[in-house]
Amino acid sequence: MGSSSSSSTIVPLLLRNLLTAIFIHANKSLISFSHKYKFLELLRCFLVSVFLFFIGLLPSFFSCLSPSHHNEYSSGCPSFKSRRDDDCYGGGGATAAGGGSGVSRALSQLLSIMNDIPVSSRKYEVVRSLAEKLIDENLLENNRALREVNCAVLSVAFARSLSQLEAALAEQGRRSSGDGAGDSAVGEGDLYDCSGKGSRLMKGVKYYGVAAWRYAKSGRSEMRRCSGEKLAAELLWLAQKMAASGCAEEAVCKWALASNLAWLALSAEPRLQGSLVKVSAFLIKQAKEMGMEEEEEKEDQETNTALEEQHIRQTKMKMLMSWLPLLCRANNGTVAPILSMGERAEMERILEAIISTLREEDEQEWVLSLWLHHFTYCSASDWPNLRSCYTRWYSATRARLVLAAV
């Protein structure tokens, strides 16, 4: 997987350098004739601008031809699921049930197509509405096997969209950090070595050529932004369907372990951050409900309950440590708020309830220290305000210190 991605990067680079060297050599011989004939000088300037334009398009042309990204995510879905579902209880049964049936294959195909086609396509809503109809019909049957099919298929789709969104944000971060910023400038000094009468014309050609390239580049960045927002919206939809199917724990576990995605989201565009805040808010609500269904079965499974409680507490801890910085730093929305006042107040109560289930000695301190850092250093947002929770933790910690000193 690493060799294929490196080769797809090196091949256009080598081809571009080779073509540039050949063109520079031919350009030097053409300069002598262009000084004598004005037509050849105009022709040379035109060829230079066309050459630079196609050299700039060469990397994107190779990326379109290479199917490495799609194969990487498709082949990585089982390993992603197996690695993280080992941490999520109850995942194996859903995968085993109905995994090879036509029902699960049909749903998998629909969700895969929905993931591939752009949201601007008129077929997108057709595929999504059909998938939603089939998933809801499986739930209405009130059959355990069909419910487990839903869980298995939705879990794989959630993992696939999650890994794709992480890769998209990583690529956006590499581009915004300026990697390869000077690539298009290789050999431009030699190519634009015009003097005399053609200098003004050359500057004009260079200006419009660079403007055309920037316009094409901005169009691709807009597509990447829309793709990120599409994946975030699909993750929210998939998480809601998983909650309806009774497997919200798997989505919570996967989202809690996506710490790299959470870190990349801090530098994402505001609209994408808003979509990720909605996903986080929904899954944090689901995390609060984790473990409550097992309360009635504690007496029958005392040994297993202790392990499950520890796992649930660790999952909640990872959820807060991963996504609390984004909640603090994401803008609440300029045109329309991401969450309403009531939703933000409810989310603060949920966060305080989850923090109260953690160990006061260390886990609560880690979470509240992380919250205090991001909350105080971000001037654009005053949410979530966990000051009362912080005060209660400090008072409890101080009381234990006083008792220990007596």
Side-chain angles (χ1 to χ4, degrees):
M1 184 172 64
S3 60
S4 62
S5 60
S6 61
S7 62
S8 64
T9 306
I10 293 174
V11 169
L13 186 62
L14 292 177
L15 183 58
R16 185 189 60 189
N17 292 341
L18 178 62
L19 292 177
T20 303
I22 295 174
F23 195 85
I24 290 175
H25 180 73
N27 182 55
K28 288 179 180 179
S29 61
L30 191 61
I31 289 177
S32 59
F33 293 101
S34 63
H35 289 309
K36 299 179 182 179
Y37 305 100
K38 188 175 182 179
F39 172 75
L40 290 179
E41 186 176 358
L42 296 175
L43 180 62
R44 172 180 169 270
C45 293
F46 174 75
L47 292 176
V48 167
S49 62
V50 171
F51 174 76
L52 288 177
F53 179 75
F54 282 106
I55 282 294
L57 291 179
L58 194 62
S60 60
F61 175 73
F62 271 86
S63 64
C64 292
L65 292 179
S66 175
S68 58
H69 294 290
H70 176 74
N71 293 336
E72 176 182 348
Y73 297 130
S74 299
S75 61
C77 286
S79 60
F80 188 97
K81 182 177 188 305
S82 61
R83 183 178 72 251
R84 299 194 175 178
D85 282 355
D86 287 340
D87 296 328
C88 295
Y89 57 89
T95 306
S101 67
V103 175
S104 62
R105 287 193 296 270
L107 277 179
S108 298
Q109 183 182 17
L110 282 171
L111 294 178
S112 178
I113 294 173
M114 185 185 75
N115 179 259
D116 290 337
I117 60 178
V119 71
S120 58
S121 173
R122 62 186 179 88
K123 298 294 181 66
Y124 179 80
E125 283 300 328
V126 175
V127 175
R128 176 164 169 168
S129 60
L130 179 58
E132 186 167 19
K133 178 176 180 294
L134 297 181
I135 291 172
D136 292 343
E137 286 179 352
N138 287 348
L139 294 177
L140 290 175
E141 291 290 334
N142 199 20
N143 182 273
R144 180 180 178 182
L146 291 176
R147 189 178 293 271
E148 289 178 344
V149 166
N150 279 3
C151 291
V153 173
L154 290 169
S155 179
V156 171
F158 188 90
R160 179 174 59 241
S161 297
L162 191 62
S163 59
Q164 287 182 344
L165 180 58
E166 181 176 333
L169 285 180
E171 176 66 18
Q172 179 182 344
R174 284 193 296 269
R175 290 180 180 273
S176 61
S177 64
D179 290 349
D183 290 344
S184 61
V186 177
E188 285 188 13
D190 293 330
L191 292 175
Y192 283 118
D193 187 18
C194 291
S195 59
K197 298 179 180 179
S199 59
R200 291 185 179 180
L201 177 62
M202 198 62 207
K203 289 180 180 178
V205 171
K206 178 180 179 180
Y207 174 80
Y208 287 107
V210 171
W213 166 244
R214 287 178 178 173
Y215 178 79
K217 187 177 181 181
S218 64
R220 291 199 303 273
S221 64
E222 180 69 15
M223 289 179 63
R224 287 193 300 270
R225 182 186 65 80
C226 294
S227 176
E229 292 180 16
K230 170 182 177 289
L231 289 170
E234 287 179 356
L235 282 171
L236 178 59
W237 181 81
L238 290 169
Q240 291 171 346
K241 293 302 175 184
M242 292 175 73
S245 300
C247 56
E249 293 85 355
E250 295 189 32
V252 170
C253 185
K254 288 177 171 63
W255 195 252
L257 291 173
S259 56
N260 189 42
L261 174 62
W263 179 77
L264 293 170
L266 295 177
S267 57
E269 296 181 353
R271 288 180 59 180
L272 180 55
Q273 283 186 342
S275 300
L276 294 175
V277 166
K278 291 181 180 179
V279 181
S280 300
F282 177 78
L283 290 176
I284 287 174
K285 290 180 183 178
Q286 301 301 316
K288 178 180 176 292
E289 303 298 326
M290 287 177 62
M292 293 189 174
E293 296 179 357
E294 286 79 14
E295 291 290 337
E296 300 177 356
E297 303 176 2
K298 280 188 176 181
E299 298 179 357
D300 300 331
Q301 302 176 349
E302 291 185 0
T303 57
N304 293 333
T305 300
L307 296 176
E308 288 180 358
E309 285 181 351
Q310 181 182 2
H311 171 77
I312 292 171
R313 192 183 70 252
Q314 291 176 352
T315 300
K316 293 178 180 179
M317 172 78 174
K318 292 174 183 177
M319 174 72 80
L320 296 180
M321 295 296 290
S322 296
W323 294 101
L324 196 55
L326 178 65
L327 298 183
C328 294
R329 291 188 174 271
N331 195 305
N332 191 42
T334 54
V335 180
I338 300 172
L339 299 175
S340 64
M341 293 291 293
E343 289 174 332
R344 282 187 286 167
E346 180 188 8
M347 183 54 54
E348 287 179 349
R349 291 192 295 269
I350 291 174
L351 289 172
E352 291 180 357
I354 294 178
I355 293 173
S356 65
T357 62
L358 305 178
R359 289 199 304 263
E360 292 182 350
E361 294 82 3
D362 49 5
E363 294 177 347
Q364 289 191 21
E365 179 183 358
W366 295 340
V367 172
L368 290 171
S369 176
L370 181 71
W371 163 79
L372 184 64
H373 171 78
H374 289 279
F375 181 77
T376 53
Y377 280 94
C378 181
S379 59
S381 175
D382 294 328
W383 179 83
N385 191 345
L386 304 178
R387 179 179 174 180
S388 59
C389 183
Y390 189 91
T391 304
R392 284 195 300 271
W393 163 78
Y394 187 82
S395 300
T397 304
R398 181 174 53 195
R400 284 198 308 271
L401 179 62
V402 171
L403 290 175
V406 174

